[in-house]
Amino acid sequence: MQHFINVLLNGITQGIVIAAFALALVLIFRSTRIVNFAQGSQAMFTTYIALTLMNRDFPYWAAFAGALVAGFIIGAVLERVVIRPLEGGMELNIVIATLGLYVAIQALAAILFGSDYQSFSSPVGLSGFQVGDLNLALTPTSIFVLCTVGVVVVGLTLLFQKTQLGLTMRAAAFDGEVSRILGVRVSHLLTFGWALAGLVGSVAGILVASGSFIYPSYMESLIAFGFIAAVIGGLDSPIGAVVGGLILGTVNSLVSGYLAPGLVTIGAFVVLIAVLLLKPGGLFSSTQARRV
């Protein structure tokens, strides 16, 4: 029983971390209709910025804020400098550009920060809770991750559903030409969408790193699982990203705990294929026309 409970708790923790990264992918797709394959590299780079600040005696929360600001700025700069000149051309050009950014940012991080494993501290404890005779695989860091992702989900949901800015971003992404005719500054909104996605990605990068080690490619497995979770939930649904992450994290933990760790990737793709066969657009996708 203890093993089963710990497997489920571990799955929830993994799932919420996957969901954090999937949220960044959903955010940029929902606001720009672009899938950013460089999102993981951006998150990794800003995590190194946070680590650099902490190594210079900045408090954890100041370093956290610095990483978020860096993620926001990097996202905006990349959209203006790299993505903007490619707009209006073949969609494949932007896909290739984001893949190139993924490789370039990872190489730059290795040059600037080195390729060695570096410890990244957590603001709270790493020891599991003891309930009676049960030693639970739930730590203060896990609760910190859960709460942080919860705040992000609520914030994004309110932004896109309850604010004029969020509704305008959705309109601009859905039909840019009509939005321009109506006087919407679509280019500004696209830049803001990339910047906001960069900020959310930075949150994911730090949550993954907290209490662990980082190196230039430490986000690679999360990138794959984050994409799968986003597709499972529906690429335009923040709630779907969370549900997809939790499903994927739980499945991964069950496969690893009861079968073999080497089968985790296969299990993830089986879940993805099963969901797409039942609902090709994702669990929370809609076939109806969207009104924004």
Side-chain angles (χ1 to χ4, degrees), residues 169-180:
M169 289 174 66
R170 293 172 60 192
F174 188 67
D175 197 328
E177 291 302 320
V178 172
S179 298
R180 288 186 180 92

Side-chain angles (χ1 to χ4, degrees), residues 14 17 51 56 103 137 144 146 199 210 218-219 235 240 259-260:
Q14 287 184 34
V17 171
L51 179 62
R56 295 185 178 181
V103 176
F144 165 66
L146 290 168
L199 185 150
S210 293
Y218 85 95
M219 288 284 290
L235 272 171
L259 296 177

Side-chain angles (χ1 to χ4, degrees), residues 8 29 37 49 53 75 108-109 117 119 124 134 139 141 152 182 188 198 200 203 226 245 259 261 272 276 292:
L8 287 182
F29 183 82
F37 290 97
I49 291 176
L53 293 175
L108 180 61
Y117 284 60
S119 176
V124 291
L134 295 179
T139 67
T141 296
V152 172
L182 295 175
H188 290 67
V200 175
V203 173
L259 296 177
L272 173 63
L276 292 182
V292 295

Side-chain angles (χ1 to χ4, degrees), residues 7-186:
V7 165
L8 287 182
L9 290 174
N10 185 58
I12 292 172
T13 303
Q14 287 184 34
I16 208 67
V17 171
I18 293 171
F21 183 74
L23 277 171
L25 299 174
V26 167
L27 174 60
I28 200 166
F29 183 82
R30 188 166 186 167
S31 58
T32 67
R33 315 311 290 182
I34 294 172
V35 176
N36 180 17
F37 290 97
Q39 195 75 64
S41 291
Q42 292 175 234
M44 172 272 299
F45 196 86
T46 57
T47 303
Y48 267 111
I49 291 176
L51 179 62
T52 300
L53 293 175
M54 287 191 290
N55 288 339
R56 295 185 178 181
D57 297 327
F58 280 80
Y60 178 93
W61 297 112
F64 194 115
L68 299 189
V69 172
F72 189 89
I73 294 173
I74 290 173
V77 171
L78 291 180
E79 195 281 332
R80 284 284 182 173
V81 176
V82 179
I83 303 302
R84 182 66 57 84
L86 300 177
E87 290 180 359
M90 295 178 59
E91 293 183 359
L92 183 61
N93 292 342
I94 296 180
V95 173
I96 294 173
T98 58
L99 287 171
L101 284 172
Y102 164 76
V103 176
I105 295 173
Q106 191 162 301
L108 180 61
I111 294 171
L112 295 178
F113 307 111
S115 300
D116 296 334
Y117 284 60
Q118 300 185 51
S119 176
F120 195 98
S121 63
S122 172
V124 291
L126 297 171
S127 299
F129 292 104
Q130 186 78 27
V131 178
D133 295 331
L134 295 179
N135 186 17
L136 300 179
L138 182 68
T139 67
T141 296
S142 302
I143 296 175
F144 165 66
V145 171
L146 290 168
C147 293
T148 303
V149 175
V151 170
V152 172
V153 172
V154 172
L156 292 179
T157 301
L158 292 176
L159 171 67
F160 282 110
Q161 296 186 0
K162 302 297 182 181
T163 68
Q164 185 65 36
L165 173 61
L167 294 173
T168 307
M169 289 174 66
R170 293 172 60 192
F174 188 67
D175 197 328
E177 291 302 320
V178 172
S179 298
R180 288 186 180 92
I181 293 173
L182 295 175
V184 175
R185 293 185 175 182
V186 175

